[in-house]
Amino acid sequence: MLLIKVQEWLRLGRIRGFPYRYILDPTNICNLRCPVCPTGLATIGRERGSMDFDRFQKITNQIARYAYRLELCNFGEPLLHPRIFDMINYAHQRKISVMLSSNLNFFDQKMAEQTVTSGLDMLIVSVDGATQETYEKYRVGGNLSRVLSNARLLVEEKHRQRSQYPIVIISMLINRHNEHQISEMRQIAKTLGVDAFTTGSFLVDTTDPIQVKEWLPIEQSWSCYDYSEEKLENVCNRSDLWESMTINWDGGVVPCCWLHRKENDFENIFKKPLAEVWNSEAYISSRRLFAFGGPKVGLQETICTRCKGKPSYMKD
């Protein structure tokens, strides 16, 4: 990790060492139809599917020496994967910290038991409203009562097994429809007995005025955007080019978790080993865009050439 941090500070193009954080999408299939999500809008630009367990094992075997954290989620609902708990346990046995985020609409007592025994370190439960009317504005097709009941089921199972893990966090993405319910949602989380409650900023395609008006909260303090700016812009974490790797269910590797279209893949980890993917022409060229003294010409033009750290959400 220290080696990577030093090379990130130096903005090197070719890296010694490997990323310590991995985002791996077990599936890009979801049971909800969230209106500001490429999966919910069916604009994901990649075939729907789920990663085979044996392929997951091969990836895990490659990253185990370097991985500090594995996030088993991105554009799908991870609990829909039939072997998600086997995946968690396989990574846990290799001493990798595992986190996933879920809408928790698909859950039962057996899954609660497996969640605790699998070795999962953290579960983030997305609950974007304190009433069904507000919640389903974004989580289209979801049922708030079921989600809260499932969260309570998991908390009770942790107590039954006398386990501190997984850490259960209720997360609320603040938008124009729910910004008045933050205190109420915080109290619900406290009543459930989860470990923490957190809020997150709502991201939109800033070039779409309809999305901006529909979803961004009125109170700027709950937003990640500066409303005084003439042009609102998204800003991604360019550190991802040095610190993390995002892997889709089909093995496609992209430079950050914003990207979902297959056409933007750098490489495929099923076809090339980690070392070749991490120092591919696409990765090196993309890192050079953020070199000291300004962008340097790379061997290959990538999505990062167009994005430059300011992605248009859902379009890139």
Side-chain angles (χ1 to χ4, degrees):
M1 186 183 293
L2 179 60
L3 178 64
I4 291 295
K5 285 289 189 182
V6 170
Q7 292 174 98
E8 178 189 343
W9 182 79
L10 294 172
R11 309 280 178 81
L12 299 184
R14 183 177 293 276
I15 302 297
R16 288 185 59 197
F18 297 96
Y20 52 84
R21 174 173 166 257
Y22 294 81
I23 300 171
L24 189 153
D25 212 0
T27 180
N28 62 355
I29 298 170
C30 190
N31 49 347
L32 303 186
R33 302 182 305 280
C34 303
V36 188
C37 170
T39 306
L41 292 171
T43 59
I44 198 164
R46 189 181 302 271
E47 290 183 4
R48 301 296 179 97
S50 301
M51 184 178 291
D52 293 337
F53 181 63
D54 60 337
R55 284 185 156 178
F56 172 82
Q57 288 178 304
K58 291 176 182 177
I59 293 174
T60 306
N61 292 342
Q62 288 189 70
I63 70 175
R65 289 182 59 193
Y66 321 106
Y68 175 76
R69 180 182 173 109
L70 175 62
E71 300 177 16
L72 288 177
C73 52
N74 200 13
F75 286 108
E77 168 50 54
L79 292 181
L80 292 178
H81 194 291
R83 299 199 65 179
I84 187 63
F85 297 110
D86 291 330
M87 290 178 165
I88 295 168
N89 186 254
Y90 192 81
H92 173 73
Q93 293 300 321
R94 280 145 188 80
K95 303 187 185 303
I96 304 173
S97 175
V98 185
M99 181 277 280
L100 62 80
S101 177
S102 170
N103 61 54
L104 217 63
N105 275 270
F106 179 72
F107 202 71
D108 58 24
Q109 178 61 48
K110 182 179 178 181
M111 294 175 73
E113 295 172 5
Q114 291 175 301
T115 301
V116 179
T117 60
S118 64
L120 183 65
D121 292 277
M122 182 181 294
L123 175 66
I124 297 176
V125 183
S126 301
V127 189
D128 304 322
T131 61
Q132 177 63 27
E133 180 183 10
T134 303
Y135 170 79
E136 67 182 354
K137 282 288 186 181
Y138 184 61
R139 302 290 169 179
V140 178
N143 183 291
L144 177 62
S145 177
R146 179 166 60 233
V147 173
L148 298 182
S149 177
N150 288 338
R152 187 177 296 107
L153 194 68
L154 179 55
V155 170
E156 291 172 353
E157 183 60 29
K158 283 177 58 179
H159 290 320
R160 190 184 72 81
Q161 295 193 33
R162 298 182 180 180
S163 175
Q164 293 181 321
Y165 297 97
I167 301 298
V168 181
I169 300 174
I170 296 291
S171 176
M172 184 180 187
L173 292 179
I174 308 302
N175 60 61
R176 188 160 300 197
H177 300 286
N178 66 16
E179 61 184 316
H180 63 290
Q181 293 185 335
I182 299 172
S183 296
E184 187 177 351
M185 193 66 244
R186 181 181 288 111
Q187 183 57 46
I188 289 174
K190 183 177 180 180
T191 301
L192 288 173
V194 297
D195 297 285
F197 169 75
T198 186
T199 60
S201 298
F202 204 89
L203 301 171
V204 299
D205 176 4
T206 55
T207 65
D208 185 346
I210 296 177
Q211 277 194 30
V212 171
K213 184 177 180 181
E214 170 75 10
W215 293 104
L216 292 192
I218 295 174
E219 175 55 56
Q220 182 180 309
S221 62
W222 294 115
S223 176
C224 61
Y225 302 101
D226 184 352
Y227 294 173
S228 66
E229 294 288 336
E230 183 177 342
K231 180 182 178 182
L232 302 182
E233 291 182 316
N234 289 310
V235 179
C236 70
N237 185 3
R238 66 187 181 191
S239 295
D240 286 354
L241 287 168
W242 286 269
E243 298 178 1
S244 73
M245 179 180 285
T246 300
I247 305 170
N248 287 286
W249 77 269
D250 57 2
V253 175
V254 288
C256 71
C257 62
W258 285 81
L259 303 173
H260 47 86
R261 298 185 184 279
K262 192 169 185 176
E263 64 198 55
N264 295 324
D265 289 356
F266 278 9
E267 296 285 354
N268 191 294
I269 203 165
F270 297 153
K271 298 177 180 178
K272 292 185 178 181
L274 177 66
E276 290 186 32
V277 172
W278 188 231
N279 278 310
S280 64
E281 289 185 1
Y283 258 115
I284 293 172
S285 298
S286 297
R287 294 182 189 118
R288 286 172 62 85
L289 291 168
F290 303 99
F292 282 121
K296 301 293 190 298
V297 177
L299 297 172
Q300 182 177 326
E301 186 172 296
T302 71
I303 179 62
C304 299
T305 311
R306 183 169 80 246
C307 171
K308 295 183 175 64
K310 296 182 179 180
S312 298
Y313 185 53
M314 296 190 298
K315 287 186 176 180
D316 288 329

